[in-house]
Amino acid sequence: MKKDAHILTRCIHGGQQNCEVTGAVMPPIYTSSTYAQESPGVHKGYEYSRSHNLTRYGFERAIANLESTGISEEQDVSHGGFAFATGMAATATCLELLSTGDTILAMDDMYGGTYRLMSLVRERSQGLKPVYVDMTDFEAVERAFAEHKPKMVWVESPTNPTLKVSDLARIAKIADDHGAIAVADNTFCSPVLQRPLELGMHVVMHSATKYLGGHSDVVGGVLVTRVPELAERIRYLQNAIGSVMGPFDAYLCLRGIKTLGLRMERHCESAMAIAEMLEAHDKVERVVYPGLESHPQHAVAAKQMGLPDGPGFGGMITVFLKGGLDESRRFLENVSLFALAESLGGVESLIEHPAIMTHATVPAESRAKLGISDSLVRLSVGIEDCDDLIADIHVGLDAI
Ligand SMILES: Cc1ncc(COP(=O)(O)O)c(C=O)c1O
């Protein structure tokens, strides 16, 4: 494959080569936990499956290629890509790059589990000091850097669930100026829509459970870096902590990303049509979707996100319905193609109520400040026929 191949080609071939022994085009699922040695310490580069697993390497190299790490085989065996048991395991390992008492500057709106890990676990167990700031406000980010001297900055863009979009190149530049590690949770975009390393971020994190896996049948996580020194430290931590992705899951994730390009095209196209329909509906107070001109950071989104051959703003939509919890419940109970379930990014459409479901761990006061109210409903638009999805949403809205 050419180095500058199209991203849709990279989804299929990036980081991959056929098996030298059999010609197999997909790596076999290597289940062995250990590998025989000819003599103590003399082996083929494989000792123990927590440290080395060829199926996991297959997925790790693929995601490293898609996120444009630029790291060669000589610099790191899986090119700067690392796979973990879950997204949270990836995040937890990434936080181990910090030391006791370090400050992390994090986006004020982000996945509730990330907030829980930083504030309710690591603050107690490691003296981590999380400081939350709205990273769409660059003066606030600069002030927070000057005041708190963070060693790491953690940004989601678009955020979960209020879909705020942060200018990743600007965040990376500020982090560089202050010698901090810049990490982007790229779960909502996938590398088909946004490649934060190309924008200057140092590390990308994914919940592979979402768009990378794409079929709601696997949980997994990923860290990817373009910085060789960080790759070396993450490889050490991945093995030392041991929350690695198993070979069966690595196989499913690798299979998932083969169709990532096609799926993202459909997710984006349908989500745009649904967002426009919702914005015009009289039972809807407000729609937040980065593709709508009404989105406060639409211009930034158009600059840093996109399908390979045109605009693309992802499959996630946030809707504020008119009314409160009763109206939200009636809507959620009456849609049927959209399954009422946590998670996102699969081929099937999902719908959820963040205040009660995914973001219940975020304190009520912070939820109120961020606008995560009882009337907020989050949609993950799947790849079903778009007219059928729109008809389903009408049934839900008519029931309010
Ligand atoms: C943006 C984001 N980051 C991280 C995670 C955590 O990933 P996992 O559930 O795979 O541990 C999630 C899960 O919903 C998420 O939405």
Side-chain angles (χ1 to χ4, degrees):
M1 192 189 75
K2 286 194 304 186
K3 261 210 159 109
D4 59 347
H6 193 282
I7 190 84
L8 296 185
T9 305
R10 285 158 65 188
C11 284
I12 318 284
H13 298 290
Q16 304 302 296
Q17 57 195 42
N18 299 345
C19 170
E20 281 172 18
V21 179
T22 64
V25 297
M26 283 292 279
I29 302 174
Y30 286 91
T31 56
S32 187
S33 60
T34 191
Y35 305 82
Q37 309 198 2
E38 279 166 46
S39 173
V42 181
H43 51 75
K44 296 179 169 48
Y46 299 89
E47 287 173 280
Y48 185 61
S49 203
R50 166 160 44 78
S51 327
H52 322 104
N53 182 281
L54 263 182
T55 320
R56 197 179 76 223
Y57 286 171
F59 171 54
E60 290 178 334
R61 288 171 185 158
I63 185 68
N65 180 284
L66 281 181
E67 287 288 4
S68 306
T69 64
I71 290 190
S72 66
E73 187 107 16
E74 292 68 43
Q75 288 169 309
D76 180 74
V77 68
S78 52
H79 310 179
F82 303 91
F84 298 86
T86 65
M88 289 317 302
T91 299
T93 304
C94 193
L95 293 182
E96 296 285 351
L97 291 167
L98 298 172
S99 302
T100 309
D102 281 352
T103 296
I104 184 166
L105 197 64
M107 185 78 176
D108 60 351
D109 176 39
M110 59 183 185
Y111 171 57
T114 310
Y115 166 83
R116 176 175 54 202
L117 178 64
M118 289 180 187
S119 274
L120 306 181
V121 179
R122 292 298 174 87
E123 200 169 331
R124 172 188 58 73
S125 68
Q126 288 192 336
L128 180 71
K129 294 188 186 124
V131 172
Y132 299 101
V133 63
D134 178 355
M135 294 198 196
T136 62
D137 175 350
F138 289 92
E139 281 172 20
V141 175
E142 292 276 19
R143 270 199 310 276
F145 261 97
E147 189 180 338
H148 301 286
K149 309 204 173 358
K151 295 276 175 13
M152 183 179 278
V153 53
W154 189 281
V155 59
E156 269 181 36
S157 185
T159 61
N160 183 356
T162 62
L163 300 179
K164 287 200 256 189
V165 174
S166 184
D167 188 326
L168 296 178
R170 280 184 77 175
I171 295 285
K173 166 85 177 60
I174 299 173
D176 272 337
D177 291 347
H178 292 81
I181 301 170
V183 187
D185 180 335
N186 202 26
T187 300
F188 269 33
C189 281
S190 91
V192 169
L193 294 187
Q194 176 172 279
R195 288 177 294 285
L197 301 184
E198 292 177 6
L199 301 170
M201 300 297 287
H202 305 118
V203 180
V204 161
M205 177 266 158
H206 278 279
S207 168
T209 317
K210 312 298 177 340
Y211 289 105
L212 299 183
H215 296 74
S216 305
D217 56 4
V218 62
V219 289
V222 161
L223 293 176
V224 192
T225 183
R226 65 180 171 83
V227 183
E229 189 250 337
L230 287 177
E232 203 177 314
R233 291 174 65 196
I234 295 170
R235 174 160 304 288
Y236 179 84
L237 291 169
Q238 183 194 37
N239 181 52
I241 295 165
S243 51
V244 292
M245 179 178 278
F248 291 93
D249 294 346
Y251 166 78
L252 281 174
C253 288
L254 181 59
R255 188 167 75 158
I257 61 173
K258 303 274 175 186
T259 55
L260 183 62
L262 285 178
R263 288 188 280 111
M264 291 317 295
E265 284 174 359
R266 175 63 81 88
H267 286 300
C268 291
E269 191 187 320
S270 295
M272 189 73 215
I274 290 171
E276 280 171 348
M277 180 280 276
L278 284 166
E279 196 167 47
H281 200 285
D282 61 5
K283 292 200 177 156
V284 170
E285 185 72 45
R286 188 160 63 90
V287 181
V288 187
Y289 181 66
L292 294 174
E293 298 220 341
S294 57
H295 188 288
Q297 295 94 37
H298 172 66
V300 181
K303 186 179 72 172
Q304 72 185 16
M305 297 172 69
L307 286 163
D309 302 313
F313 299 93
M316 301 303 297
I317 304 175
T318 289
V319 191
F320 292 86
L321 297 170
K322 286 185 181 159
L325 189 56
D326 286 347
E327 285 74 12
S328 297
R329 267 192 203 284
R330 279 205 293 279
F331 178 59
L332 292 164
E333 285 167 2
N334 281 280
V335 288
S336 56
L337 262 184
F338 280 85
L340 176 58
E342 297 195 7
S343 203
L344 59 111
V347 289
E348 61 290 298
S349 295
L350 301 177
I351 197 160
E352 70 119 0
H353 191 266
I356 295 178
M357 296 166 72
T358 46
H359 288 68
T361 52
V362 177
E365 200 186 299
S366 309
R367 283 204 308 265
K369 230 165 88 190
L370 290 167
I372 306 175
S373 65
D374 285 344
S375 65
L376 187 162
V377 168
R378 191 190 77 181
L379 283 75
S380 170
V381 176
I383 63 168
E384 301 93 337
D385 177 75
C386 187
D387 290 341
D388 285 348
L389 292 177
I390 287 178
D392 193 43
I393 292 172
H394 277 299
V395 173
L397 289 172
D398 288 348
I400 293 179

